[in-house]
Amino acid sequence: MKLTINGITHQVEAEPDTPLLWVLRDELGMTGTKYGCGIAQCGACSVMVDDIVTRACVTPIESLENRRITTIEGIENDPVGKRVVAAWVKHQVPQCGYCQSGQVMAATALLKETPHPGDDEIAAAMVNLCRCGTYNAISAAIHDLAGDERTGQ
Amino acid sequence: MRKLLSVLLPVIVLAAAGVTWFATRVPSSPFDGVAGSQAPSPELIQRGEYIARLADCVGCHGSPDQPPFTGGLEMATPVGSIFATNITPDKETGIGNYSLADFDRAVRHDVARDGHHLYPAMPYPSYAKLSDDDVRALYAYFMHGVKPARHANKASDIPWPLSIRWPLAFWSALFMDHGSHHEQPSENAVWNRGAYLVQGPGHCGACHTPRGLAFNERALDDSNPLFLSGALLDGWYAPSLRGDPNRGLGRWSEDELHQFLKTGRNRHAVVFGSMTDAFNNSTQFMTDEDLRAIAHYLKSLPGDPRRDGPAWHYDPKSNDTLALNARLKTPGAQTFLAKCSFCHGADGRGQGQWFPPLAGAASLMARENASSINVTLNGSKRVVADGIPDAYRMPPFREQLSDRQIADVLSFARSSWGNNGEPVKPEEVKHLRESTDPANSSVIILHMR
């Protein structure tokens, strides 16, 4: 089966019901996407599929042929993603960092859907968990980006 | 007065004698005086093993940490708990001393070898329809294919006088359809095979047919439209298996039904709740021919539009309430998006056969909302198809979500995408939360498995 990840097409051997997360980490060695809870509750495994945030641990690859998958490894090729990473660095968001590739995915998908989200929209979209409690820093970074005129490009 | 007594007394005595005779009599078996074969052929034993699969004997007479068929499962009756018994051929603790006729009386009637009546926790109202050939094969398997295992039966905790069993004779006289299965000459052989499997060994009605006040199934075959019309049992709602498009199998094809019973999943649904036991132990082992017969038979049972209402159609409008700027305003919508949508799809349509759709799901449209609450609180057990456990499972939300949050998210799902289920109340969630908590003293004890 063929999967297009960060603009590159990969031939993968896994069974059609295999979760995307296993294919990314085990078959393709792209370990930036993390395994957290395995049941779509924490968000550590978030990736984007056609710019929509998706939990790789509960996404069978069967449904992904001819779709555009973006992982943390390719996020800076995306202009919005690049600015999100810059804001994350500016606000020194990560502590242990484990959940942050997922947080960056959620933020990028949000800003791609709506470039200047309000507080309610941020609350509705940013539901990934962080055990270090970096929520204040995440919020500061997102609000910074939400007010940024260039975000919509 | 004396005259009256002299007339009445004999009548009373006679009536009492009649009742005693009736309640203690041993029903006859076509196998009375027939010895079971001492050395049955391997084919007969193998056939018996297959029938034990069809009938899911191990579902109740087995427990995971013990040798097969040694019993132990606790089951509820209106007056207390009983325990499924050891049915290995061990002479002391099992059924090693059962003759073929004794075995027949326990399986197709309701009487154990020592003459005591059995509770209908053992699904003999359905097994009554087993053919003589199938009973003979089952017996050969249990006597020669199952290893004898010493394992003492657990006594029931029912206090005297409620523990007296002869009144059960009247129960079975009233509510059983004695006599074996009859072929319908107007239907073809596939249909008739399906009818036999569903009504007899498969005992699908034990869970899927509504029960009356005496815990009796209200219909034992398709001559009554209540047969397999959906029932609530042990905290799970087993939906209609008739042609109802919303709460039944109206939208399923025969092939899809076959796939569900063989692999545990199809594009409409994935097994959960007490159906997981029926699937893990029984339906997946049925031959393709038998599964096709079951599917063909079930698809011949008409639905009831008065009960089921207008047919479900997907309605995309409800996705508006899930929009980024709207979802915090509708109770349940945000919980759905954050906790459920990644598996069940943000559009409620599931992911192929791996995650069932919530749009159009029977559990969300049934008036009885127990299945939807129970599965959200407690998740589901491993579905093991062909020895391989499933990759994806419904997680338990008991620790994560409050009664109010579960009520809201289910009310949302029950009223979205064209679903027309009534809202769920937090009290209903609270009730099931308590009665499905193993640590609780009033936890549900199974009636059926």
Side-chain angles (χ1 to χ4, degrees):
Chain A
M1 194 184 149
K2 286 196 177 66
L3 291 181
T4 306
I5 303 166
N6 303 328
I8 298 164
T9 302
H10 300 263
Q11 181 69 39
V12 301
E13 303 301 323
E15 298 290 319
D17 64 331
T18 311
L20 173 62
L21 183 61
W22 297 151
V23 175
L24 289 176
R25 292 183 58 90
D26 291 358
E27 195 172 335
L28 303 175
M30 301 169 73
T31 51
T33 308
K34 301 300 182 201
Y35 174 81
C37 65
I39 49 172
Q41 301 301 298
C42 74
C45 67
S46 300
V47 299
M48 288 193 295
V49 175
D50 296 339
D51 291 344
I52 308 278
V53 68
T54 302
R55 303 272 158 98
C57 72
V58 293
T59 306
I61 55 170
E62 177 183 80
S63 58
L64 297 175
E65 209 147 21
N66 303 320
R67 311 275 298 274
R68 201 157 39 79
I69 301 163
T70 311
T71 71
I72 193 71
E73 285 86 353
I75 196 72
E76 287 185 279
N77 301 338
D78 181 292
V80 178
K82 194 176 167 102
R83 264 198 301 282
V84 170
V85 172
W88 248 241
V89 173
K90 176 177 160 201
H91 290 269
Q92 289 292 296
V93 174
Q95 287 188 21
C96 86
Y98 199 79
C99 71
Q100 294 299 337
S101 60
Q103 303 282 5
V104 166
M105 283 293 153
T108 307
L110 167 65
L111 295 170
K112 280 168 141 342
E113 185 176 346
T114 174
H116 305 293
D119 287 354
D120 271 7
E121 290 168 313
I122 293 173
M126 296 301 291
V127 294
N128 292 17
L129 304 182
C130 171
R131 291 192 65 178
C132 306
T134 62
Y135 299 111
N136 288 339
I138 290 172
S139 171
I142 295 248
H143 279 92
D144 195 354
L145 289 157
D148 184 338
E149 287 310 314
R150 293 168 306 163
T151 311
Q153 288 169 18
Chain B
M1 187 64 201
R2 284 187 58 169
K3 190 146 177 237
L4 189 67
L5 255 189
S6 67
V7 175
L8 264 184
L9 203 62
V11 173
I12 292 171
V13 169
L14 259 181
V19 166
T20 312
W21 170 81
F22 178 79
T24 55
R25 119 202 115 99
V26 173
S28 70
S29 157
F31 300 117
D32 280 322
V34 179
S37 164
Q38 281 312 302
S41 68
E43 292 76 40
L44 190 67
I45 295 174
Q46 210 180 3
R47 211 182 125 61
E49 179 172 14
Y50 180 64
I51 292 151
R53 278 299 187 191
L54 294 179
D56 194 8
C57 309
V58 78
C60 299
H61 288 280
S63 47
D65 45 351
Q66 279 167 29
F69 301 116
T70 48
L73 179 73
E74 181 175 5
M75 298 192 79
T77 77
V79 288
S81 283
I82 56 168
F83 296 88
T85 48
N86 181 342
I87 55 168
T88 71
D90 182 56
K91 290 232 192 270
E92 272 151 59
T93 59
I95 60 169
N97 292 318
Y98 270 60
S99 69
L100 174 55
D102 294 336
F103 181 79
D104 179 26
R105 272 187 283 270
V107 174
R108 286 197 293 190
H109 303 274
D110 64 328
V111 183
R113 179 164 183 274
D114 65 6
H116 75 264
H117 285 271
L118 299 172
Y119 280 99
M122 162 85 182
Y124 52 78
S126 303
Y127 295 161
K129 300 193 173 169
L130 283 169
S131 69
D132 290 356
D133 280 352
D134 283 357
V135 171
R136 201 178 289 116
L138 260 182
Y139 180 73
Y141 170 63
F142 277 101
M143 292 301 136
H144 300 277
V146 174
K147 274 213 202 72
R150 258 190 87 83
H151 192 270
N153 287 327
K154 259 199 182 141
S156 91
D157 64 7
I158 304 174
W160 193 85
L162 294 174
S163 58
I164 296 173
R165 285 179 176 243
W166 58 259
L168 288 165
F170 295 96
W171 188 95
S172 61
L174 276 173
F175 299 122
M176 263 173 84
D177 211 1
H178 286 282
S180 54
H181 180 69
H182 299 291
E183 299 256 308
Q184 283 293 340
S186 57
E187 301 283 354
N188 65 22
V190 176
W191 187 96
N192 273 302
R193 175 72 183 159
Y196 173 71
L197 291 165
V198 167
Q199 296 170 26
H203 68 282
C204 314
C207 296
H208 286 272
T209 298
R211 295 193 181 243
L213 285 177
F215 201 63
N216 54 303
E217 286 164 52
R218 289 173 66 193
L220 291 167
D221 64 42
D222 46 73
S223 61
N224 182 330
L226 284 176
F227 183 58
L228 303 176
S229 64
L232 177 67
L233 189 68
D234 301 334
W236 297 106
Y237 180 73
S240 163
L241 299 181
R242 306 181 65 94
D244 305 293
N246 300 316
R247 301 164 185 87
L249 302 178
R251 283 180 277 124
W252 295 34
S253 69
E254 283 185 29
D255 283 348
E256 287 168 342
L257 191 43
H258 179 177
Q259 186 193 7
F260 181 83
L261 297 170
K262 186 85 206 171
T263 66
R265 52 184 71 248
N266 65 20
R267 68 186 181 96
H268 301 287
V270 180
V271 295
F272 67 96
S274 49
M275 189 65 201
T276 313
D277 295 308
F279 170 79
N280 282 348
N281 296 322
S282 178
T283 66
Q284 68 170 308
F285 297 103
M286 297 182 184
T287 61
D288 286 330
E289 210 182 345
D290 278 351
L291 288 175
R292 261 193 293 278
I294 290 180
H296 182 66
Y297 171 68
L298 290 177
K299 285 299 289 181
S300 79
L301 305 177
D304 178 354
R306 273 173 314 163
R307 179 180 62 221
D308 200 47
W312 174 86
H313 287 289
Y314 186 77
D315 178 2
K317 267 209 306 292
S318 36
N319 290 322
D320 297 347
T321 53
L322 291 172
L324 205 47
N325 55 9
R327 67 176 84 128
L328 288 180
K329 297 183 192 112
T330 313
Q334 174 67 13
T335 307
F336 171 77
L337 239 298
K339 303 286 178 192
C340 324
S341 71
F342 295 105
C343 290
H344 290 289
D347 57 2
R349 299 188 109 147
Q351 300 189 59
Q353 56 175 320
W354 308 112
F355 295 93
L358 299 186
S363 66
L364 292 173
M365 290 198 273
R367 222 151 279 134
E368 305 278 7
N369 54 27
S371 276
S372 54
I373 300 174
N374 203 339
V375 78
T376 307
L377 278 169
N378 301 308
S380 72
K381 291 201 275 183
R382 271 255 172 278
V383 179
V384 184
D386 216 0
I388 302 167
D390 53 351
Y392 305 102
R393 244 203 304 178
M394 172 75 185
F397 287 91
R398 173 181 286 277
E399 308 292 339
Q400 268 202 60
L401 298 178
S402 67
D403 295 340
R404 157 69 61 191
Q405 284 172 311
I406 290 181
D408 283 349
V409 74
L410 287 175
S411 298
F412 172 80
R414 289 169 67 85
S415 60
S416 294
W417 313 295
N419 291 355
N420 58 3
E422 290 83 11
V424 171
K425 298 191 198 70
E427 302 85 78
E428 296 174 294
V429 181
K430 180 170 187 286
H431 173 73
L432 262 170
R433 186 189 290 273
E434 284 164 8
S435 63
T436 58
D437 177 358
N440 191 293
S441 57
S442 56
V443 63
I444 294 177
I445 299 168
L446 297 182
H447 287 91
M448 202 38 78
R449 182 161 170 189

